[in-house]
Amino acid sequence: MSKGAEAGAGVVARRGRPARYSQDDLVAVVAQVFLERGYDATSMADLARASGLTKSTFYHHVSGKEQLLRLAVSRALDALDGVFEEEARLDDSPVHRLERVLRRTTEVLLAELPYVTLLLRLRGNTEVEREALERRRSVDARLAQLVQDARAAGQIRSDLEPRLVTRLLFGMVNSLVEWYRPDGSGASGVGHGSRDDEIVHAVVELALDGLHARRG
Amino acid sequence: MSKGAEAGAGVVARRGRPARYSQDDLVAVVAQVFLERGYDATSMADLARASGLTKSTFYHHVSGKEQLLRLAVSRALDALDGVFEEEARLDDSPVHRLERVLRRTTEVLLAELPYVTLLLRLRGNTEVEREALERRRSVDARLAQLVQDARAAGQIRSDLEPRLVTRLLFGMVNSLVEWYRPDGSGASGVGHGSRDDEIVHAVVELALDGLHARRG
C-alpha cells in the first residue's frame, strides 16, 4: 500500500459522496469480505467492489489481496504481541503474569474480533498465511512459557501438562470468536447477554479457580 | 441410502479388489472429503470418486450429498445425545452430573473427531445443516441446564452467568477439534504429546478446579 493510502487515501468516491477513507477503514471492510466469502474465494474484484472506492483508486493503492490480508491479521498479531511486551516489562510473580496475559488476550480478542477471527481461520495456503501462522505459534509459545514458569514456581498445579493446559486455555479464549457478538445477541440467535467485562472476568476466573463453589 | 447399503453394500470394486463396504466405511470416507474441501464445495462426483465404488453402485445407493452429511453429523449428534440420556437415568448430585457430562462429551469428541469437526463447521445453508444446528443447540441447552442446576444447588460458584459458563466450557472442549490428532502430533506440527485420558482429565480438572495450586 502506498504512503498516500497509509496516511488516508484522500477524497474518493464512496456511495456517491466524497469521503476521507483511511487504511484502517479499508482493512475493516476487507476483513469483513474475507470472513464472509473465505480468503481463498475472495477476488480483488470483490474487494474493489466492497471498498466503495473507484476501481482506479483501489488498484492504485492495492497491489494484491495478500497485502490486505497481511494488514488485517497484523492488527490481531500486533495487539497480541503487545500483551506480552507489556508483560515482559513488569516485574511480577509468574501466576500474576499469567492471569494478566489471559485477561489482556481476551480483551484484545473482543476489541479486534474480525481480525482475530480471520487469523484463527487461516489455512496456510500462501506465504502471507504461513508467516501469520508462524507469528501465531510464537504467541502460543509465550503463553506456554508463562504456564511453565508459574508451574515451576509452584503457583499452579503440577498434575496437568503445560502444553495441554496452554492449548485448552487458548481454546477457551479463542472460542469467543464463534459466539461473541458486540451487541450481546450471540451467534445463531442464542444470546449470551454478557458485557465485555463479565466475559473477561469469567475467562480468568474459570481458568484460575474453576467452577466449584469455594469451600469455607 | 437403501436397505442394502445400511446392511453393508455387498461386494463392490474398490482399488480393483472386491471388498465388503459398509455404510460406516462410506460415511467415514465422505466425512474426510467434506472436511478437506468444505461441504459447499464438494460435489457428488467428488464423493463418488473418493468412495472407490463404481459410479453405478455409488449412485444406486446415494441420492444426494445432503443424505451423506446427515449420516455423518448424526454420528456426532447421536453420541452427544447419548451422553445426556445416560446421565438422565442416573440419580446423582448436579455437580457430579455436570462433571460426568463434561468427561463423556470430551470422550465423544475424541472418539468421533471427524464427525464432531464437521458438525462444528456447519454454516446452516441447507435444511440438513439447519436441522443439525438445531440439534446442536439442544445439546448446548442441556449442558446449560446442568450448570444452572448445579448453581441452584450451591455446588458451583454463583458469580458467573450460567449461559456464559456453558459457552466457555463447550468452547474449551470444542477447541480440541482444532489441534487434537489421534497420533499425538497435534495440528501444524506442534505436538500435544498427551494421551486421550490425560486430555479428558485436564478438561474436567480445569473446568471444575482451575489452574491454581491447591492450598493446604
Side-chain angles (χ1 to χ4, degrees):
Chain A
M1 183 155 293
S2 76
K3 198 71 189 164
E6 277 173 41
V11 179
V12 294
R14 190 164 194 238
R15 293 202 192 114
R17 288 172 301 136
R20 287 263 156 198
Y21 205 75
S22 71
Q23 177 175 293
D24 276 357
D25 295 335
L26 179 59
V27 170
V29 168
V30 159
Q32 273 316 319
V33 179
F34 286 154
L35 288 174
E36 280 160 25
R37 294 184 177 245
Y39 176 68
D40 291 339
T42 302
S43 68
M44 279 288 276
D46 294 332
L47 297 174
R49 203 176 311 115
S51 75
L53 298 172
T54 63
K55 270 192 190 175
S56 67
T57 303
F58 184 82
Y59 285 98
H60 179 69
H61 288 300
V62 178
S63 65
K65 67 174 184 168
E66 297 75 16
Q67 173 198 12
L68 293 172
L69 180 68
R70 182 183 280 119
L71 287 169
V73 295
S74 290
R75 277 199 57 153
L77 287 162
D78 292 348
L80 290 168
D81 281 345
V83 168
F84 289 91
E85 301 304 333
E86 281 163 31
E87 210 42 54
R89 285 195 299 272
L90 297 169
D91 187 24
D92 206 349
S93 78
V95 75
H96 288 146
R97 296 175 61 188
L98 176 59
E99 179 175 335
R100 247 194 333 261
V101 162
L102 274 177
R103 180 187 312 283
R104 292 283 302 123
T105 300
T106 308
E107 286 169 352
V108 162
L109 189 145
L110 299 181
E112 306 290 347
L113 189 70
Y115 311 105
V116 178
T117 307
L118 199 53
L119 176 66
L120 294 174
R121 291 196 190 154
L122 293 186
R123 306 285 296 268
N125 294 331
T126 64
E127 191 52 34
V128 171
E129 288 173 88
R130 284 188 290 273
E131 278 172 26
L133 290 173
E134 189 55 45
R135 285 187 65 188
R136 186 181 151 194
R137 273 193 290 275
S138 113
V139 170
D140 290 354
R142 294 175 84 166
L143 183 65
Q145 187 58 52
L146 274 183
V147 170
Q148 185 69 66
D149 292 349
R151 192 190 199 215
Q155 295 173 323
I156 63 169
R157 48 199 293 175
S158 58
D159 62 329
L160 305 178
E161 208 279 311
R163 277 182 307 173
L164 180 54
V165 165
T166 302
R167 285 183 180 277
L168 292 174
L169 291 180
F170 263 151
M172 180 165 68
V173 173
N174 292 341
S175 76
L176 288 168
V177 307
E178 302 298 332
W179 56 265
Y180 172 76
R181 295 297 172 270
D183 61 1
S185 66
S188 322
V190 182
H192 53 82
S194 299
R195 296 190 321 267
D196 286 8
D197 58 342
E198 288 173 322
I199 294 173
V200 172
H201 174 76
V203 166
V204 174
E205 288 293 317
L206 263 185
L208 273 301
D209 289 317
L211 266 182
H212 267 137
R214 315 281 172 95
R215 288 94 172 170
Chain B
M1 184 156 293
S2 77
K3 196 75 189 159
E6 278 172 41
V11 179
V12 294
R14 186 158 198 242
R15 295 205 190 111
R17 288 173 300 137
R20 287 261 156 201
Y21 204 76
S22 71
Q23 177 174 293
D24 277 356
D25 295 335
L26 179 59
V27 170
V29 168
V30 159
Q32 274 315 320
V33 180
F34 286 153
L35 287 175
E36 279 160 26
R37 294 184 176 246
Y39 177 67
D40 291 339
T42 302
S43 68
M44 279 289 275
D46 294 331
L47 297 174
R49 203 176 311 115
S51 75
L53 299 170
T54 63
K55 270 192 189 176
S56 67
T57 304
F58 184 82
Y59 285 98
H60 178 70
H61 288 301
V62 178
S63 64
K65 67 174 184 168
E66 296 74 16
Q67 173 197 13
L68 294 172
L69 179 69
R70 181 183 281 117
L71 287 168
V73 295
S74 290
R75 278 200 56 156
L77 286 163
D78 293 350
L80 290 169
D81 281 344
V83 169
F84 288 92
E85 302 303 332
E86 281 163 34
E87 210 42 53
R89 285 196 300 270
L90 297 169
D91 188 24
D92 205 348
S93 78
V95 75
H96 288 147
R97 296 175 61 187
L98 176 60
E99 179 175 337
R100 252 199 325 267
V101 162
L102 273 178
R103 180 186 314 283
R104 291 283 302 120
T105 299
T106 307
E107 286 169 355
V108 162
L109 189 145
L110 300 181
E112 306 290 348
L113 189 69
Y115 310 105
V116 178
T117 306
L118 199 53
L119 176 66
L120 293 175
R121 290 197 190 154
L122 293 185
R123 306 284 298 267
N125 293 330
T126 63
E127 191 53 34
V128 171
E129 288 173 88
R130 283 188 291 272
E131 278 171 27
L133 290 174
E134 188 56 44
R135 285 186 66 188
R136 187 182 151 195
R137 271 193 290 274
S138 112
V139 170
D140 290 354
R142 293 174 86 165
L143 182 66
Q145 186 60 52
L146 274 184
V147 171
Q148 184 70 66
D149 292 349
R151 193 191 199 213
Q155 295 173 323
I156 63 169
R157 49 200 291 177
S158 58
D159 62 329
L160 305 178
E161 209 279 313
R163 279 182 306 173
L164 179 55
V165 165
T166 303
R167 285 183 179 277
L168 291 174
L169 291 179
F170 263 151
M172 180 165 69
V173 173
N174 292 342
S175 76
L176 289 167
V177 307
E178 302 298 331
W179 57 264
Y180 173 76
R181 296 296 172 271
D183 60 3
S185 66
S188 321
V190 182
H192 54 82
S194 299
R195 297 192 319 271
D196 286 8
D197 58 341
E198 288 174 323
I199 294 173
V200 172
H201 175 75
V203 166
V204 174
E205 288 292 318
L206 263 185
L208 273 301
D209 289 317
L211 267 182
H212 267 137
R214 315 282 171 97
R215 287 92 172 172

